[in-house]
Every structure is written in structure tokens, then in C-alpha cells.
Amino acid sequence: MTHATDPTAHRLIPVVVLDDAALARPLAEQLLADGIGVAEVTLRTPAALDSIRAMAEVDGLLVGAGTVLSADQVDQAVDAGAQFVVSPGLHRGVVERAAERGVVVVPGAVTPTEVMTALEWGITTLKFFPASTYGGPAALRALSAVFGTVRWVPTGGIGPHNVDEYLALPSVVAVGGSWMVTTALERLSEAGR
Ligand code: 3PG
């Protein structure tokens, strides 16, 4: 089941890494203008939480946090306005805190053992990261043959050259990547904003 704060209701999820929170609002507006209604702001830079705060104020954009590695980071992200959290791996603290805070969580899994653990925890939507390194569409096809209930969000090494190959897989609900952000930031810079 998806609802308004589920990032996988969108087919493309831009992965945002910002060093300057002042860019967050114009970037959010550019993404919306590009027809993209969601953004995953990674907690990899000191500007991340301020960027989430700024983007969360933009009407019509669903904003979440990525690279969430601990329960404390779930709290920080949700306090800043994140409506979902994404993690590169499978971490019980992250998953439990997200449930406590009432936000959608998309943790990462790449091996059958990790997938089985996620299923045991009741999680069926998983990030597949770094997708190109862990076998790309062929690996997802093989995993999907075994784990038919899992919905995948591949991320890492995806771009205009291969996104369609991932989106064509029935088990792939959405694809994440930074290329959409690069494009939007280029447009902003061309417009002098
Ligand atoms: C992520 O956090 O999902 C990745 O860093 C995005 O990978 P990409 O930059 O290769 O799209």
C-alpha cells in the first residue's frame, strides 16, 4: 500500500547532496518544475538538515532523508521535516525509530540473507545500493525470482543511459539517483539563481 508520504509512489527519486542549504529551496522549486515531486536529501553534508527544513516548506514536494545510519539520525531528520527515511543498509534501530516516528522507511538490502531479515521485520520495499556494483538489473531479476513480494528501489550508478532498463523490471517500483539533481542544478545555474 502506498500513501502520500511514500517516496515509491514516484518512479524517480532524486538523491540530493547539498553543501549549501541556500540552494535547497530553489532546487526544490526546480525539481517540481521538472515534474519531480519527491527529494531524498542525504545526511552526508553539514547542510543536510537545514536543506530538509527549507525543502519541507515548499508546497507539493515530498521531502525525506537519505543516508540515515542511526536511530538518532531518524530523529534529527524527522524533527527537520523529513517525511520518509532511506538507509543504505538494514539497521534495526533505524527501522524501529522510523516506525515510532510514523514515517516510511526504505532500508537497503543486497544479499538474500539481508532480504530475508527485512522480510522477517515485515519490510517489503527495499533499496538496492549500490545497484550497478551489486549486479544491476540482472541481480534484481535473480533476487526477484526468489523473493516475489519485494519491491525494489535501485540506486547507485543509474543515469539516463540505463534507467529504463531498471524501470522495465516489474519488481522495481522506483529508481533513485543524483543525475536528476545535477540536471536541475545546471538549469538553476544557467538561470543565474
Ligand atoms: C545514493 O545515496 O543513493 C547514491 O549515492 C546515489 O548514487 P548516484 O550518485 O550514483 O546516483
Side-chain angles (χ1 to χ4, degrees):
M1 189 180 76
T2 60
H3 52 87
T5 61
D6 183 348
T8 67
H10 302 258
R11 292 286 270 169
L12 297 178
I13 304 175
V15 174
V16 177
V17 186
L18 275 184
D19 289 315
D20 179 3
L23 278 172
R25 190 181 180 96
L27 174 62
E29 288 164 352
Q30 184 64 49
L31 288 170
L32 282 173
D34 291 345
I36 294 172
V38 60
E40 172 191 331
V41 181
T42 65
L43 302 188
R44 291 185 216 165
T45 64
L49 292 172
D50 281 342
S51 298
I52 290 172
R53 266 181 217 104
M55 289 181 131
E57 283 175 4
V58 176
D59 274 351
L61 189 77
L62 172 62
V63 180
T67 322
V68 175
L69 307 180
S70 68
D72 282 351
Q73 285 189 323
V74 174
D75 283 331
Q76 289 165 15
V78 174
D79 289 346
Q83 291 183 281
F84 65 88
V85 296
V86 179
S87 182
L90 201 58
H91 183 286
R92 191 180 269 286
V94 167
V95 167
E96 287 181 351
R97 188 63 55 87
E100 283 162 22
R101 298 295 304 260
V103 295
V104 171
V105 60
V106 183
V110 293
T111 67
T113 303
E114 290 164 354
V115 175
M116 287 165 72
T117 302
L119 291 173
E120 196 184 351
W121 296 353
I123 294 169
T124 53
T125 301
L126 291 167
K127 175 165 172 147
F128 186 69
F129 171 82
S132 54
T133 306
Y134 276 97
L140 283 172
R141 264 192 294 273
L143 286 167
S144 297
V146 179
F147 302 110
T149 57
V150 175
R151 307 156 79 242
W152 292 102
V153 184
T155 310
I158 303 177
H161 61 293
N162 59 0
V163 61
D164 289 343
E165 217 185 318
Y166 285 95
L167 287 174
L169 298 175
S171 61
V172 168
V173 282
V175 162
S178 57
W179 88 92
M180 294 159 261
V181 180
T182 309
T183 309
L185 287 174
E186 277 165 10
R187 290 215 179 98
L188 279 178
S189 143
E190 279 161 19
R193 292 173 67 189

Short mmCIF file of all heavy atoms in Angstrom, two decimals, residues 120-173:
data_model
loop_
_atom_site.label_atom_id
_atom_site.label_comp_id
_atom_site.label_asym_id
_atom_site.label_seq_id
_atom_site.Cartn_x
_atom_site.Cartn_y
_atom_site.Cartn_z
N GLU A 120 11.48 -10.72 7.50
CA GLU A 120 11.16 -11.11 8.87
C GLU A 120 10.68 -9.90 9.68
O GLU A 120 9.83 -10.03 10.57
CB GLU A 120 12.41 -11.72 9.51
CG GLU A 120 12.15 -12.50 10.77
CD GLU A 120 13.44 -13.00 11.39
OE1 GLU A 120 14.52 -12.89 10.76
OE2 GLU A 120 13.37 -13.49 12.52
N TRP A 121 11.23 -8.73 9.37
CA TRP A 121 10.83 -7.50 10.07
C TRP A 121 9.58 -6.89 9.46
O TRP A 121 9.15 -5.80 9.87
CB TRP A 121 11.95 -6.45 10.01
CG TRP A 121 13.21 -6.85 10.71
CD1 TRP A 121 13.44 -7.96 11.48
CD2 TRP A 121 14.46 -6.12 10.67
NE1 TRP A 121 14.74 -7.98 11.92
CE2 TRP A 121 15.39 -6.87 11.45
CE3 TRP A 121 14.88 -4.94 10.07
CZ2 TRP A 121 16.71 -6.44 11.63
CZ3 TRP A 121 16.18 -4.53 10.25
CH2 TRP A 121 17.09 -5.26 11.03
N GLY A 122 9.05 -7.51 8.43
CA GLY A 122 7.81 -7.01 7.81
C GLY A 122 8.04 -5.94 6.76
O GLY A 122 7.11 -5.22 6.38
N ILE A 123 9.27 -5.83 6.28
CA ILE A 123 9.59 -4.80 5.28
C ILE A 123 9.69 -5.43 3.90
O ILE A 123 10.45 -6.39 3.71
CB ILE A 123 10.91 -4.10 5.64
CG1 ILE A 123 10.72 -3.33 6.93
CG2 ILE A 123 11.36 -3.16 4.51
CD1 ILE A 123 11.99 -2.82 7.52
N THR A 124 8.93 -4.88 2.96
CA THR A 124 8.95 -5.46 1.61
C THR A 124 9.41 -4.46 0.54
O THR A 124 9.53 -4.83 -0.62
CB THR A 124 7.56 -6.01 1.23
OG1 THR A 124 6.60 -4.98 1.44
CG2 THR A 124 7.20 -7.23 2.05
N THR A 125 9.66 -3.20 0.92
CA THR A 125 10.21 -2.24 -0.04
C THR A 125 11.65 -1.95 0.36
O THR A 125 11.91 -1.46 1.47
CB THR A 125 9.39 -0.94 -0.07
OG1 THR A 125 8.04 -1.26 -0.41
CG2 THR A 125 9.94 0.03 -1.10
N LEU A 126 12.57 -2.27 -0.53
CA LEU A 126 14.00 -2.22 -0.18
C LEU A 126 14.78 -1.44 -1.23
O LEU A 126 14.55 -1.57 -2.43
CB LEU A 126 14.56 -3.65 -0.09
CG LEU A 126 14.06 -4.48 1.09
CD1 LEU A 126 14.44 -5.95 0.89
CD2 LEU A 126 14.65 -3.95 2.39
N LYS A 127 15.75 -0.69 -0.72
CA LYS A 127 16.71 -0.04 -1.60
C LYS A 127 17.75 -1.08 -2.01
O LYS A 127 18.11 -1.96 -1.21
CB LYS A 127 17.37 1.11 -0.82
CG LYS A 127 18.49 1.82 -1.54
CD LYS A 127 18.81 3.14 -0.83
CE LYS A 127 20.07 3.75 -1.43
NZ LYS A 127 20.04 5.21 -1.43
N PHE A 128 18.21 -0.99 -3.24
CA PHE A 128 19.25 -1.90 -3.73
C PHE A 128 20.44 -1.02 -4.10
O PHE A 128 20.45 -0.36 -5.15
CB PHE A 128 18.74 -2.67 -4.94
CG PHE A 128 19.68 -3.74 -5.43
CD1 PHE A 128 19.92 -4.88 -4.68
CD2 PHE A 128 20.33 -3.60 -6.65
CE1 PHE A 128 20.79 -5.87 -5.12
CE2 PHE A 128 21.20 -4.59 -7.11
CZ PHE A 128 21.42 -5.73 -6.35
N PHE A 129 21.43 -0.97 -3.19
CA PHE A 129 22.51 0.01 -3.32
C PHE A 129 23.86 -0.60 -2.96
O PHE A 129 23.93 -1.32 -1.96
CB PHE A 129 22.22 1.20 -2.40
CG PHE A 129 23.37 2.16 -2.29
CD1 PHE A 129 23.58 3.12 -3.27
CD2 PHE A 129 24.25 2.08 -1.22
CE1 PHE A 129 24.65 4.00 -3.17
CE2 PHE A 129 25.33 2.96 -1.12
CZ PHE A 129 25.52 3.92 -2.10
N PRO A 130 24.91 -0.29 -3.68
CA PRO A 130 24.96 0.43 -4.95
C PRO A 130 24.61 -0.51 -6.10
O PRO A 130 25.30 -1.51 -6.34
CB PRO A 130 26.40 0.93 -5.04
CG PRO A 130 27.20 0.07 -4.10
CD PRO A 130 26.26 -0.58 -3.13
N ALA A 131 23.54 -0.15 -6.79
CA ALA A 131 22.90 -1.08 -7.74
C ALA A 131 23.86 -1.59 -8.81
O ALA A 131 23.90 -2.80 -9.09
CB ALA A 131 21.70 -0.40 -8.38
N SER A 132 24.64 -0.68 -9.39
CA SER A 132 25.48 -1.13 -10.52
C SER A 132 26.59 -2.06 -10.02
O SER A 132 26.94 -3.03 -10.70
CB SER A 132 26.06 0.07 -11.27
OG SER A 132 26.75 0.91 -10.38
N THR A 133 27.10 -1.80 -8.83
CA THR A 133 28.18 -2.62 -8.29
C THR A 133 27.68 -4.00 -7.86
O THR A 133 28.39 -4.99 -7.96
CB THR A 133 28.80 -1.89 -7.08
OG1 THR A 133 29.18 -0.59 -7.49
CG2 THR A 133 30.01 -2.63 -6.55
N TYR A 134 26.45 -4.05 -7.37
CA TYR A 134 25.91 -5.33 -6.87
C TYR A 134 25.18 -6.14 -7.93
O TYR A 134 24.42 -7.03 -7.62
CB TYR A 134 25.03 -5.10 -5.64
CG TYR A 134 25.87 -5.03 -4.39
CD1 TYR A 134 26.25 -3.82 -3.84
CD2 TYR A 134 26.34 -6.20 -3.78
CE1 TYR A 134 27.06 -3.76 -2.72
CE2 TYR A 134 27.15 -6.15 -2.66
CZ TYR A 134 27.50 -4.92 -2.14
OH TYR A 134 28.31 -4.88 -1.03
N GLY A 135 25.43 -5.82 -9.18
CA GLY A 135 24.94 -6.71 -10.24
C GLY A 135 23.87 -6.14 -11.14
O GLY A 135 23.42 -6.82 -12.08
N GLY A 136 23.42 -4.92 -10.86
CA GLY A 136 22.49 -4.25 -11.77
C GLY A 136 21.19 -5.00 -11.99
O GLY A 136 20.75 -5.80 -11.14
N PRO A 137 20.55 -4.78 -13.12
CA PRO A 137 19.25 -5.40 -13.40
C PRO A 137 19.30 -6.93 -13.34
O PRO A 137 18.33 -7.56 -12.90
CB PRO A 137 18.93 -4.92 -14.82
CG PRO A 137 19.68 -3.64 -14.96
CD PRO A 137 20.95 -3.81 -14.17
N ALA A 138 20.42 -7.53 -13.73
CA ALA A 138 20.50 -9.00 -13.71
C ALA A 138 20.38 -9.53 -12.28
O ALA A 138 19.69 -10.53 -12.03
CB ALA A 138 21.81 -9.46 -14.34
N ALA A 139 21.02 -8.84 -11.34
CA ALA A 139 20.93 -9.27 -9.93
C ALA A 139 19.51 -9.10 -9.42
O ALA A 139 18.99 -9.97 -8.70
CB ALA A 139 21.91 -8.45 -9.09
N LEU A 140 18.87 -8.00 -9.79
CA LEU A 140 17.49 -7.79 -9.34
C LEU A 140 16.54 -8.84 -9.90
O LEU A 140 15.65 -9.32 -9.20
CB LEU A 140 17.02 -6.38 -9.74
CG LEU A 140 17.57 -5.26 -8.86
CD1 LEU A 140 17.22 -3.90 -9.44
CD2 LEU A 140 17.01 -5.37 -7.44
N ARG A 141 16.77 -9.20 -11.17
CA ARG A 141 15.93 -10.26 -11.77
C ARG A 141 16.09 -11.56 -10.98
O ARG A 141 15.12 -12.25 -10.68
CB ARG A 141 16.32 -10.49 -13.23
CG ARG A 141 15.43 -9.72 -14.21
CD ARG A 141 15.63 -10.17 -15.65
NE ARG A 141 16.97 -9.85 -16.13
CZ ARG A 141 17.30 -8.68 -16.68
NH1 ARG A 141 16.39 -7.75 -16.84
NH2 ARG A 141 18.52 -8.45 -17.07
N ALA A 142 17.33 -11.90 -10.64
CA ALA A 142 17.59 -13.16 -9.92
C ALA A 142 16.99 -13.12 -8.52
O ALA A 142 16.38 -14.10 -8.06
CB ALA A 142 19.10 -13.41 -9.86
N LEU A 143 17.13 -12.00 -7.83
CA LEU A 143 16.55 -11.88 -6.48
C LEU A 143 15.03 -11.93 -6.54
O LEU A 143 14.38 -12.56 -5.69
CB LEU A 143 17.00 -10.57 -5.81
CG LEU A 143 18.45 -10.53 -5.32
CD1 LEU A 143 18.85 -9.09 -4.99
CD2 LEU A 143 18.66 -11.43 -4.10
N SER A 144 14.47 -11.30 -7.56
CA SER A 144 13.00 -11.25 -7.66
C SER A 144 12.40 -12.61 -7.95
O SER A 144 11.25 -12.88 -7.58
CB SER A 144 12.59 -10.25 -8.76
OG SER A 144 13.03 -8.96 -8.40
N ALA A 145 13.18 -13.49 -8.59
CA ALA A 145 12.68 -14.83 -8.86
C ALA A 145 12.48 -15.60 -7.55
O ALA A 145 11.62 -16.49 -7.45
CB ALA A 145 13.67 -15.58 -9.75
N VAL A 146 13.25 -15.22 -6.55
CA VAL A 146 13.18 -15.91 -5.25
C VAL A 146 12.26 -15.17 -4.28
O VAL A 146 11.48 -15.77 -3.54
CB VAL A 146 14.60 -16.03 -4.64
CG1 VAL A 146 14.55 -16.72 -3.29
CG2 VAL A 146 15.53 -16.76 -5.59
N PHE A 147 12.39 -13.84 -4.29
CA PHE A 147 11.64 -13.00 -3.34
C PHE A 147 10.58 -12.20 -4.09
O PHE A 147 10.74 -11.00 -4.35
CB PHE A 147 12.59 -12.07 -2.59
CG PHE A 147 13.69 -12.78 -1.85
CD1 PHE A 147 15.01 -12.70 -2.28
CD2 PHE A 147 13.41 -13.55 -0.73
CE1 PHE A 147 16.03 -13.36 -1.60
CE2 PHE A 147 14.42 -14.22 -0.04
CZ PHE A 147 15.73 -14.13 -0.49
N GLY A 148 9.51 -12.88 -4.43
CA GLY A 148 8.50 -12.28 -5.31
C GLY A 148 7.73 -11.13 -4.69
O GLY A 148 7.09 -10.36 -5.42
N THR A 149 7.76 -11.00 -3.36
CA THR A 149 6.96 -9.93 -2.74
C THR A 149 7.76 -8.63 -2.57
O THR A 149 7.20 -7.62 -2.15
CB THR A 149 6.46 -10.35 -1.33
OG1 THR A 149 7.59 -10.69 -0.53
CG2 THR A 149 5.51 -11.53 -1.41
N VAL A 150 9.04 -8.69 -2.86
CA VAL A 150 9.87 -7.50 -2.60
C VAL A 150 9.75 -6.49 -3.74
O VAL A 150 9.82 -6.83 -4.92
CB VAL A 150 11.35 -7.89 -2.38
CG1 VAL A 150 12.21 -6.64 -2.22
CG2 VAL A 150 11.48 -8.78 -1.16
N ARG A 151 9.57 -5.22 -3.35
CA ARG A 151 9.56 -4.09 -4.30
C ARG A 151 10.89 -3.37 -4.13
O ARG A 151 11.27 -3.01 -3.01
CB ARG A 151 8.40 -3.14 -3.96
CG ARG A 151 7.05 -3.82 -3.85
CD ARG A 151 6.10 -3.00 -2.98
NE ARG A 151 5.52 -1.87 -3.67
CZ ARG A 151 5.71 -0.61 -3.30
NH1 ARG A 151 6.45 -0.31 -2.26
NH2 ARG A 151 5.13 0.36 -3.97
N TRP A 152 11.57 -3.15 -5.24
CA TRP A 152 12.94 -2.63 -5.17
C TRP A 152 13.05 -1.16 -5.59
O TRP A 152 12.35 -0.72 -6.49
CB TRP A 152 13.85 -3.45 -6.09
CG TRP A 152 14.06 -4.86 -5.64
CD1 TRP A 152 13.46 -5.97 -6.13
CD2 TRP A 152 14.95 -5.30 -4.60
NE1 TRP A 152 13.93 -7.08 -5.46
CE2 TRP A 152 14.84 -6.70 -4.52
CE3 TRP A 152 15.83 -4.65 -3.74
CZ2 TRP A 152 15.57 -7.46 -3.61
CZ3 TRP A 152 16.56 -5.40 -2.83
CH2 TRP A 152 16.42 -6.79 -2.77
N VAL A 153 14.00 -0.49 -4.93
CA VAL A 153 14.37 0.87 -5.33
C VAL A 153 15.88 0.86 -5.58
O VAL A 153 16.68 1.13 -4.69
CB VAL A 153 14.03 1.90 -4.23
CG1 VAL A 153 14.35 3.32 -4.72
CG2 VAL A 153 12.57 1.78 -3.80
N PRO A 154 16.31 0.51 -6.80
CA PRO A 154 17.73 0.52 -7.09
C PRO A 154 18.28 1.94 -7.15
O PRO A 154 17.60 2.86 -7.63
CB PRO A 154 17.83 -0.17 -8.45
CG PRO A 154 16.48 -0.06 -9.04
CD PRO A 154 15.49 0.04 -7.92
N THR A 155 19.48 2.11 -6.65
CA THR A 155 20.15 3.41 -6.63
C THR A 155 21.65 3.18 -6.69
O THR A 155 22.15 2.20 -6.13
CB THR A 155 19.84 4.15 -5.30
OG1 THR A 155 18.45 4.15 -5.08
CG2 THR A 155 20.32 5.58 -5.35
N GLY A 156 22.34 4.10 -7.34
CA GLY A 156 23.81 4.00 -7.40
C GLY A 156 24.25 3.57 -8.77
O GLY A 156 24.05 2.43 -9.18
N GLY A 157 24.84 4.51 -9.51
CA GLY A 157 25.32 4.19 -10.85
C GLY A 157 24.23 4.20 -11.90
O GLY A 157 24.41 3.66 -12.99
N ILE A 158 23.08 4.78 -11.56
CA ILE A 158 21.98 4.82 -12.53
C ILE A 158 21.91 6.22 -13.13
O ILE A 158 22.19 7.22 -12.46
CB ILE A 158 20.65 4.44 -11.85
CG1 ILE A 158 20.77 3.05 -11.21
CG2 ILE A 158 19.48 4.47 -12.85
CD1 ILE A 158 19.56 2.59 -10.45
N GLY A 159 21.58 6.28 -14.40
CA GLY A 159 21.51 7.56 -15.10
C GLY A 159 20.66 7.40 -16.34
O GLY A 159 20.05 6.34 -16.56
N PRO A 160 20.64 8.43 -17.17
CA PRO A 160 19.81 8.37 -18.38
C PRO A 160 20.14 7.16 -19.26
O PRO A 160 19.28 6.66 -19.97
CB PRO A 160 20.15 9.68 -19.10
CG PRO A 160 20.65 10.59 -18.03
CD PRO A 160 21.31 9.73 -17.00
N HIS A 161 21.39 6.69 -19.20
CA HIS A 161 21.82 5.60 -20.08
C HIS A 161 21.21 4.25 -19.69
O HIS A 161 21.12 3.34 -20.51
CB HIS A 161 23.35 5.48 -20.08
CG HIS A 161 23.93 5.19 -18.72
ND1 HIS A 161 23.90 6.09 -17.67
CD2 HIS A 161 24.55 4.07 -18.23
CE1 HIS A 161 24.48 5.55 -16.61
NE2 HIS A 161 24.88 4.33 -16.91
N ASN A 162 20.82 4.07 -18.42
CA ASN A 162 20.34 2.74 -18.02
C ASN A 162 19.06 2.75 -17.17
O ASN A 162 18.59 1.70 -16.76
CB ASN A 162 21.45 1.97 -17.27
CG ASN A 162 21.92 2.70 -16.02
OD1 ASN A 162 21.42 3.78 -15.69
ND2 ASN A 162 22.89 2.10 -15.34
N VAL A 163 18.50 3.93 -16.93
CA VAL A 163 17.34 3.99 -16.04
C VAL A 163 16.17 3.16 -16.58
O VAL A 163 15.46 2.49 -15.81
CB VAL A 163 16.91 5.46 -15.76
CG1 VAL A 163 16.51 6.19 -17.03
CG2 VAL A 163 15.81 5.52 -14.74
N ASP A 164 15.99 3.17 -17.90
CA ASP A 164 14.84 2.44 -18.47
C ASP A 164 14.96 0.93 -18.25
O ASP A 164 13.95 0.24 -18.08
CB ASP A 164 14.71 2.74 -19.97
CG ASP A 164 14.23 4.15 -20.21
OD1 ASP A 164 13.71 4.77 -19.25
OD2 ASP A 164 14.39 4.66 -21.33
N GLU A 165 16.20 0.47 -18.24
CA GLU A 165 16.43 -0.96 -18.02
C GLU A 165 15.94 -1.38 -16.62
O GLU A 165 15.38 -2.46 -16.43
CB GLU A 165 17.93 -1.21 -18.13
CG GLU A 165 18.33 -2.51 -18.79
CD GLU A 165 19.84 -2.67 -18.73
OE1 GLU A 165 20.56 -1.69 -18.95
OE2 GLU A 165 20.26 -3.80 -18.42
N TYR A 166 16.18 -0.51 -15.64
CA TYR A 166 15.71 -0.79 -14.27
C TYR A 166 14.20 -0.65 -14.18
O TYR A 166 13.52 -1.49 -13.59
CB TYR A 166 16.38 0.16 -13.28
CG TYR A 166 17.83 -0.17 -12.98
CD1 TYR A 166 18.87 0.45 -13.65
CD2 TYR A 166 18.17 -1.10 -11.99
CE1 TYR A 166 20.21 0.16 -13.37
CE2 TYR A 166 19.49 -1.40 -11.70
CZ TYR A 166 20.51 -0.76 -12.39
OH TYR A 166 21.82 -1.06 -12.10
N LEU A 167 13.68 0.44 -14.75
CA LEU A 167 12.24 0.70 -14.62
C LEU A 167 11.40 -0.36 -15.34
O LEU A 167 10.23 -0.56 -15.02
CB LEU A 167 11.90 2.10 -15.16
CG LEU A 167 12.34 3.27 -14.27
CD1 LEU A 167 12.09 4.60 -14.98
CD2 LEU A 167 11.62 3.24 -12.92
N ALA A 168 12.02 -1.05 -16.29
CA ALA A 168 11.28 -2.09 -17.02
C ALA A 168 11.06 -3.34 -16.17
O ALA A 168 10.21 -4.18 -16.51
CB ALA A 168 12.03 -2.46 -18.30
N LEU A 169 11.80 -3.48 -15.08
CA LEU A 169 11.63 -4.68 -14.24
C LEU A 169 10.36 -4.53 -13.41
O LEU A 169 10.17 -3.52 -12.73
CB LEU A 169 12.83 -4.84 -13.29
CG LEU A 169 14.19 -5.05 -13.95
CD1 LEU A 169 15.30 -5.07 -12.90
CD2 LEU A 169 14.21 -6.34 -14.75
N PRO A 170 9.49 -5.55 -13.42
CA PRO A 170 8.23 -5.43 -12.68
C PRO A 170 8.42 -5.23 -11.18
O PRO A 170 7.59 -4.62 -10.51
CB PRO A 170 7.52 -6.77 -12.95
CG PRO A 170 8.19 -7.35 -14.14
CD PRO A 170 9.58 -6.80 -14.19
N SER A 171 9.53 -5.73 -10.63
CA SER A 171 9.75 -5.61 -9.18
C SER A 171 10.32 -4.25 -8.79
O SER A 171 10.44 -3.95 -7.60
CB SER A 171 10.70 -6.71 -8.71
OG SER A 171 11.95 -6.57 -9.35
N VAL A 172 10.69 -3.43 -9.76
CA VAL A 172 11.26 -2.12 -9.46
C VAL A 172 10.14 -1.09 -9.40
O VAL A 172 9.47 -0.82 -10.41
CB VAL A 172 12.33 -1.72 -10.51
CG1 VAL A 172 12.72 -0.25 -10.36
CG2 VAL A 172 13.56 -2.61 -10.36
N VAL A 173 9.91 -0.52 -8.21
CA VAL A 173 8.83 0.46 -8.07
C VAL A 173 9.32 1.87 -8.32
O VAL A 173 8.56 2.75 -8.72
CB VAL A 173 8.16 0.42 -6.68
CG1 VAL A 173 7.21 -0.73 -6.59
CG2 VAL A 173 9.17 0.42 -5.56
#
